Amino acid sequence: MTSPARKQLPTPTPETAPYWEGAKAHELRLQHCNDCDKPFFYPRIFCPICLGDNVEWKAMSGKGTLLTYVLSARPAPGFEEELPYAIAIVKLDEGPHLMSNIVETEITPENLPAGMALEVVFDDVNETISLPKFRPAS
Amino acid sequence: MATDLRKKIAIIGAAETDTVGAIPDITQLGLHGQAARNAIRDAGIDKSQIDGLACAGESVVSVADYLDIQPRYIDGTSVGGSSFMIHVAHAVLALEAGYCNYVLITHGESGRSRVGRGGFGSQSATIPGQFEAPYGTFGPPNTFTVPIVAHMKKYGTTEEQIASVAVATRAWAAKNPRAMFRDPITVEDVLASRMIAWPIHLLECCLVTDGGGALILTTADRARDFKKPPVYILGTGEGAENMMISSMHDFTESLAFKNAATRAFEQARIDRSDVDHLMLYDAFAHTPMYGLEALGFVKPGESGPFFAAGKSAPGGELPINTNGGGLSYTHTGMYGMFALQESVRQLRGEAAAQLDDVKVSIAHGPAGFFAASGTVIMTNQAP
Ligand SMILES: [Zn+2]
């Protein structure tokens, strides 16, 4: 998959770089607090539950469910050819939730019931950035 | 005479970031977080006890979200290098009044390394710039609206029920000569209007207008000397939760709404049954639904049937958005001022669609999508 150059792409920071390196390697990596024994998202310099430093990056299963979404009928820059597109919140099986797009399926309300099972796929946008997206679980 | 505030408030924690100088590996928001964590540890306080947050340079909501706290006293006063002295001044008042118990004030600035700093050309390094914008969010219509499908899934809320919010609001606008749109509409009209971001249609989106408003407040004893009947503040509340729509904790409710509403009712010491009129900021048709539930006028999930039954409309049991709302009256961008204005008009008896016997009115709304919230409970009944 490719995306038009006009789309806004992430600029990784030292705090988020491991997430984007994981995505490049087609792995959904989140931080996991070993004291709380829970993963969290978005990346931070400490665990947001206990504020502790005993945190490491771990690969998630890439499985999740569709919590909520809209089907955008108007485009952000670069999305003109993809209307409508699903801006979705995906709850990972490990707990945290994140925003993504739903791909590789018909983008209609009927085809996208909240609660449906999803799995991650990676959109290799350019040399450095791959965006985690989600498709119906196989 | 002013309250004697001498020796009433003290600082119990104070710390800086681990290092100062050049910190190229931590973002500006991370610096706020690290300073906050260090002060929390310095005080030996549990994070969950902190119910007040003030900061400048980053949004107070972003810092709250980063620490995963949901403060119900927030001070984002950001006027420059001495903002923190002002935060202390506000905090003294809030703490003395019992409005909150522990206020955290944070500063963090990547002034040298400029890592993860907002501003021109660098938004793509912010947290929302990395984790939302790449997925095609362009603004309120396809971002603020994202939570509603979770509400539909959990409670069976229907597209028709959401549309009925716009129908009821338009019925009020029909009574207001200043409203931009005054022709009555039906649920069918709403659902037939242009799709913006399913399940939200054009007629479920607020207007984009020009305008403004202002308020003047003074003490109750002074207020009697002025021309217009005083509108007394019974209670106020505020809250902050998420820097991105995707970092909401539960998409079927807003923690910022709940904290603001709860605080305001605690302060006002009234029952829901004492309230005659509501102004629920309606950026989209779903926004007043979340507001009605957060304020406790219906149980979670019951706002859809409430609006569909016409209970907020002219002749209904709880009039809501009687000026025609952001959906039909006006919406400049930061509409909250207009919600307050209509509450005041109703309590003074000078509204275009004046209700009978209004004694208590509430203006409640979101800020920055569902990021933050404010609630004001007002009455025309003299103390
Ligand atoms: Zn932890």
Side-chain angles (χ1 to χ4, degrees), chain A residues 7-17 19-20 41-54 57 66-77 79 85-90 97-102 108-110 112-116 129-134, chain B residues 24-31 33-34 36-37 40-41 47 62 65-68 115-116 122-138 141-143 145-151 153 159 194-200 243-251:
Chain A
K7 286 183 178 178
Q8 180 174 323
L9 294 177
T11 299
T13 66
E15 292 167 31
T16 65
Y19 177 87
W20 295 113
F41 185 82
Y42 48 91
R44 294 165 169 91
I45 61 168
F46 48 68
C47 165
I49 304 166
C50 69
L51 306 184
D53 288 321
N54 190 6
W57 290 89
L66 178 57
L67 269 189
T68 189
Y69 65 98
V70 292
L71 300 183
S72 190
R74 296 166 58 204
F79 283 81
Y85 57 100
I87 298 173
I89 306 295
V90 180
H97 57 257
L98 44 75
M99 182 178 280
S100 192
N101 296 137
I102 310 290
T108 62
E110 298 72 27
L112 299 172
M116 74 183 290
I129 293 297
S130 295
L131 288 175
K133 297 186 176 179
F134 286 80
Chain B
D25 57 341
I26 301 181
T27 59
Q28 180 159 299
L29 185 54
L31 295 173
Q34 191 182 74
R37 180 178 73 174
I40 287 167
R41 289 179 172 172
K47 167 175 91 113
S62 298
D65 193 332
Y66 199 90
L67 296 167
D68 197 14
V115 188
S122 61
Q123 278 90 348
S124 64
T126 64
I127 294 293
Q130 293 181 70
F131 299 110
E132 286 199 341
Y135 297 109
T137 56
F138 61 71
N142 73 2
T143 310
T145 49
V146 161
I148 187 62
V149 168
H151 197 281
K153 162 78 173 170
E159 287 186 68
R194 185 158 57 89
M195 187 66 78
I196 300 298
W198 183 87
I200 298 297
M243 91 166 98
M244 307 181 281
I245 204 81
S246 60
S247 59
M248 285 181 82
H249 290 70
D250 178 344
F251 295 89

Side-chain angles (χ1 to χ4, degrees), chain B residues 3-26:
Chain B
T3 307
D4 186 352
L5 294 169
R6 290 178 298 177
K7 299 183 182 176
K8 295 287 174 64
I9 306 302
I11 294 168
I12 60 167
E16 297 182 354
T17 45
D18 294 353
T19 62
V20 294
I23 313 175
D25 57 341
I26 301 181

Side-chain angles (χ1 to χ4, degrees), chain B residues 152-189:
Chain B
M152 296 167 78
K153 162 78 173 170
K154 181 169 181 180
Y155 298 117
T157 306
T158 66
E159 287 186 68
E160 288 76 13
Q161 289 170 349
I162 302 165
S164 70
V165 176
V167 173
T169 308
R170 181 63 66 84
W172 284 115
K175 298 171 177 289
N176 184 356
R178 281 167 63 88
M180 178 169 271
F181 289 128
R182 302 185 59 204
D183 295 335
I185 52 174
T186 64
V187 167
E188 290 69 33
D189 293 333

